């Protein structure tokens, strides 16, 4: 067997994923983004740049937003991961999701999950952020379609409606 044919030894990962205990096997070099999409089957988290610049793959890791393309899947062992799939209640939409629909704050949809996860994290910390704070908080998320104003209005609307 040549070195190229040597099978990769997978690493067991046990974490709390969207509130559920989850176990999976990941290659030592596999990103959390890849593991979520390819191993676990949660495809809501999107791949954009794959180098931490666009925010499309934003997830919450132990309550902090991170670019899942920059986190190794093995690093989440024993930790809590929340993705876009865990955002909505069992019936209906999260207020942010509803506000994004009502404000037409999405177009192609690639960036939307990352914006929603990041915006939820902001509203959990600051229930009434002003426009400047929203724009600052979401600066790590890039959108090529909407021009950001509709996204900011949607976050403001959700903040107003959840109080």
């Amino acid at each position: 067997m040549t070195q190229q044919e040597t099978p990769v030894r997978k690493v067991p990962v046990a974490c709390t994923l969207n509130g559920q205990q989850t176990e999976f096997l990941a290659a030592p070099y596999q990103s959390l983004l890849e593991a979520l999409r390819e191993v676990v089957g949660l495809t809501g988290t999107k791949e954009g740049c794959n180098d931490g610049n666009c925010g499309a793959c934003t997830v919450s890791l132990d309550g902090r937003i991170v670019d899942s393309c920059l986190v190794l899947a093995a690093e989440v062992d024993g930790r809590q991961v929340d993705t876009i799939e865990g955002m909505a209640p069992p019936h209906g939409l999260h207020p942010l999701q509803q506000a994004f629909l009502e404000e037409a704050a999405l177009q192609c949809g690639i960036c939307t999950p990352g914006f929603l996860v990041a915006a939820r994290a902001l509203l959990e910390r600051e229930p009434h952020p002003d426009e400047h704070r929203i724009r600052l908080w979401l600066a790590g998320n890039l959108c090529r379609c909407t021009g950001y104003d509709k996204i900011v209005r949607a976050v403001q609307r959700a903040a107003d409606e959840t109080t």
Side-chain angles (χ1 to χ4, degrees):
M1 200 179 245
T2 67
Q3 189 173 14
Q4 290 178 337
E5 296 172 351
T6 304
V8 175
R9 185 171 170 205
K10 303 267 179 144
V11 177
V13 178
C15 65
T16 304
L17 180 58
N18 296 324
Q20 301 291 318
Q21 280 303 117
T22 304
E23 296 180 8
F24 59 92
L25 294 174
Y29 54 80
Q30 193 168 35
S31 72
L32 177 57
L33 171 63
E34 293 168 331
L36 288 170
R37 294 182 59 82
E38 299 167 15
V39 178
V40 182
L42 296 179
T43 58
T45 302
K46 302 301 182 201
E47 180 180 337
C49 63
N50 211 25
D51 63 11
N53 284 308
C54 75
C57 67
T58 301
V59 299
S60 174
L61 179 60
D62 294 334
R64 296 186 64 206
I65 56 171
V66 298
D67 293 323
S68 61
C69 68
L70 298 180
V71 176
L72 291 175
E75 291 181 279
V76 304
D77 188 53
R79 300 174 78 182
Q80 180 176 329
V81 179
D82 293 298
T83 70
I84 189 67
E85 285 90 352
M87 189 168 184
H91 303 287
L93 296 174
H94 185 281
L96 272 166
Q97 292 170 311
Q98 187 64 42
F100 266 60
L101 286 173
E102 292 171 2
E103 293 292 333
L106 55 117
Q107 287 185 24
C108 80
I110 295 295
C111 68
T112 305
F115 270 106
L116 286 166
V117 170
R120 177 182 60 184
L122 170 61
L123 295 182
E124 286 172 353
R125 285 166 182 74
E126 300 176 33
H128 301 287
D130 63 18
E131 179 180 345
H132 176 75
R133 182 68 176 144
I134 293 168
R135 288 182 183 278
L136 184 64
W137 186 272
L138 298 179
N141 295 76
L142 303 179
C143 177
R144 295 181 178 134
C145 304
T146 68
Y148 301 99
D149 289 330
K150 293 177 180 182
I151 294 169
V152 171
R153 281 197 308 269
V155 176
Q156 289 172 317
R157 180 181 192 143
D160 291 343
E161 292 179 2
T162 57
T163 57

